[in-house]
Amino acid sequence: MADPGLWSDPARAQTALRSRTRLTEEIEAFRRLEKRLEDAEVCAELAREGEDVAVDLKQAVDALQAALDERELEIMLTGEHDAGNAILTIHPGAGGTESQDWAEMLYRMYLRWAEGRGYRVEALDYQKGDEAGIKSATLMVRGKDAYGFLRAESGVHRLVRISPFDSSGRRHTSFASVYAYPELNDEIEVAVDEKDLRVDTYRSSGAGGQHVNVTDSAVRITHLPTGIVVSCQNERSQHRNRDMAMKILKSRLYDLERRKRDEKRAVEEGAKKDIDFGSQIRSYVLQPYTLVKDHRTGFERGDVQTVLNGDIDPFIRSYLMAKKTKGKLTAEPDEDAA
């Protein structure tokens, strides 16, 4: 960073800044862990001397355990892009209003989870449903390890409940797909031929704002060879929406090639995958009992509302632990499976 020539190369300077930030965060996290340990040791020493510090000791040990758990979770993220930002897409499955409402519930769940972690979230695209819910949504989640955590959420999510849209009060099953992509940095080049693209513009349909429904600034790009469709309506100009849509498209194309490579390697190595593409990863049951269960790891919790309010870290932890210790969770579901 002290090299004067660094700033003549903006791309290199940005890379250096990101590296410094990441290393600084690592050091601060370790120091916080040391402080928790020191607090617990002081309380333990006072307890040995006969002081009445049982409550303080328990609090110190609990805080240390929480810090250790957090650190353990972070060191499991060893993927190439795990430390970076994530692009998260949410799509309802078949089922009309019921599935669209479920997709919006997941949208709110991830917003609350990100808020709890101090991440910055930007809605790049938000298509409202005709009656309720959403037809699709794309979020940019910015923060340390955002992609590493959210890739554990990729797959089909299933909801079982008494439908609020059914006057007969019948139980319904709804599906929605969630998929996380890494935000690519400037060092990774993804070649996209312009002749392979179909670019459409339309009026934004977001919730308010002086530019909404005024100009055809929203952009939808279809990559003809793969059929991948991306859209962006958050920016104020068509040009900026197109740039962001291209960024999302390149991330998806990169991720597609990575998954193809991993599949080929698994076949060559004779690996048997425990998760088939398109399989549901988690069920949220509200009727006739309450339970959230991850089908990849078997981890479950009965307090569904707490989970829907963003408390999904235990599920992310169980997934990463299973993948790290058993090596079984290697297949990633297709984002269009729902």
Side-chain angles (χ1 to χ4, degrees):
M1 296 294 295
D3 178 11
L6 175 69
W7 306 104
S8 61
D9 186 346
R12 180 170 165 245
Q14 286 299 317
T15 300
L17 282 169
R18 284 194 295 266
S19 297
R20 184 183 68 170
T21 299
R22 186 170 60 251
L23 291 170
T24 300
E25 289 173 346
E26 290 279 339
I27 293 169
E28 290 176 350
F30 185 76
R31 286 175 176 166
R32 286 196 299 270
L33 196 58
E34 282 187 318
K35 180 64 169 58
R36 298 292 190 191
L37 178 59
E38 289 173 3
D39 291 344
E41 288 176 335
V42 168
C43 287
E45 182 62 32
L46 290 173
R48 282 193 291 267
E49 294 174 358
E51 297 287 339
D52 184 13
V53 292
V55 174
D56 293 333
L57 177 59
K58 184 180 186 308
Q59 291 176 346
V61 171
D62 288 346
L64 175 60
Q65 184 63 59
L68 284 169
D69 289 345
E70 181 71 16
R71 185 61 185 146
E72 183 182 42
L73 195 59
E74 290 174 351
I75 62 177
M76 292 179 193
L77 304 179
T78 57
E80 182 181 2
H81 303 288
D82 282 356
N85 302 328
I87 299 170
L88 190 73
T89 63
I90 303 171
H91 295 279
T97 301
E98 183 70 33
S99 291
Q100 290 174 9
D101 185 60
W102 171 224
E104 187 174 38
M105 290 169 66
L106 288 171
Y107 177 86
R108 290 195 300 266
M109 182 180 79
Y110 290 116
L111 284 181
R112 289 167 180 169
W113 172 81
E115 180 183 358
R117 281 197 159 267
Y119 290 162
R120 291 183 294 116
V121 181
E122 181 182 358
L124 303 179
D125 187 51
Y126 186 93
Q127 300 289 331
K128 294 182 66 175
D130 296 328
E131 297 180 28
I134 57 175
K135 292 181 178 178
S136 68
T138 302
L139 297 171
M140 174 69 77
V141 183
R142 303 183 188 277
K144 182 176 179 293
D145 299 325
Y147 175 67
F149 291 140
L150 284 174
R151 66 182 173 87
E153 296 296 295
S154 291
V156 177
H157 295 244
R158 170 178 173 258
L159 173 70
V160 180
R161 65 171 175 175
I162 300 297
S163 172
F165 306 101
D166 188 335
S167 58
S168 301
R170 291 173 296 185
R171 191 170 61 187
H172 285 246
T173 299
S174 306
F175 297 90
S177 66
V178 175
Y179 205 81
Y181 309 92
E183 182 192 24
L184 302 183
N185 59 42
D186 297 333
E187 298 173 354
I188 299 177
E189 292 288 338
V190 178
V192 179
D193 196 327
E194 286 290 330
K195 73 174 186 296
D196 290 335
L197 305 178
R198 185 178 74 236
V199 181
D200 302 305
T201 59
Y202 59 98
R203 290 193 175 184
S204 300
S205 58
Q210 61 176 335
H211 293 273
V212 173
N213 293 325
V214 176
T215 61
D216 292 338
S217 60
V219 173
R220 180 185 297 111
I221 299 178
T222 304
H223 186 248
L224 301 175
T226 61
I228 293 176
V229 180
V230 299
S231 56
C232 182
Q233 60 174 321
N234 184 64
E235 304 294 342
R236 294 192 173 191
S237 70
Q238 186 181 117
H239 176 72
R240 293 183 65 180
N241 277 324
R242 190 183 193 281
D243 287 345
M244 181 56 72
M246 282 298 299
K247 186 173 187 175
I248 298 171
L249 175 62
K250 288 181 179 181
S251 290
R252 291 189 59 172
L253 289 172
Y254 176 86
D255 187 72
L256 178 64
E257 288 303 312
R258 180 187 61 80
R259 288 193 287 122
K260 286 181 179 178
R261 180 196 63 201
D262 291 346
E263 282 188 278
K264 182 178 179 181
R265 183 188 301 126
V267 171
E268 291 173 349
E269 294 174 354
K272 180 181 179 182
K273 298 179 179 179
D274 288 319
I275 303 176
D276 296 329
F277 276 23
S279 63
Q280 64 190 33
I281 66 165
R282 192 177 301 149
S283 291
Y284 307 70
V285 182
L286 298 177
Q287 291 288 341
Y289 53 88
T290 58
L291 181 71
V292 182
K293 180 173 182 177
D294 195 300
H295 302 292
R296 301 165 299 180
T297 64
F299 183 81
E300 57 186 42
R301 290 182 63 178
D303 48 343
V304 181
Q305 290 304 323
T306 300
V307 175
L308 292 176
N309 282 330
D311 187 13
I312 59 174
D313 278 341
F315 291 94
I316 293 174
R317 175 184 298 280
S318 69
Y319 173 84
L320 293 175
M321 285 285 288
K323 191 169 185 178
K324 189 76 173 180
T325 59
K326 299 179 182 178
K328 290 184 176 181
L329 304 176
T330 54
E332 295 180 3
D334 190 341
E335 66 272 26
D336 299 319

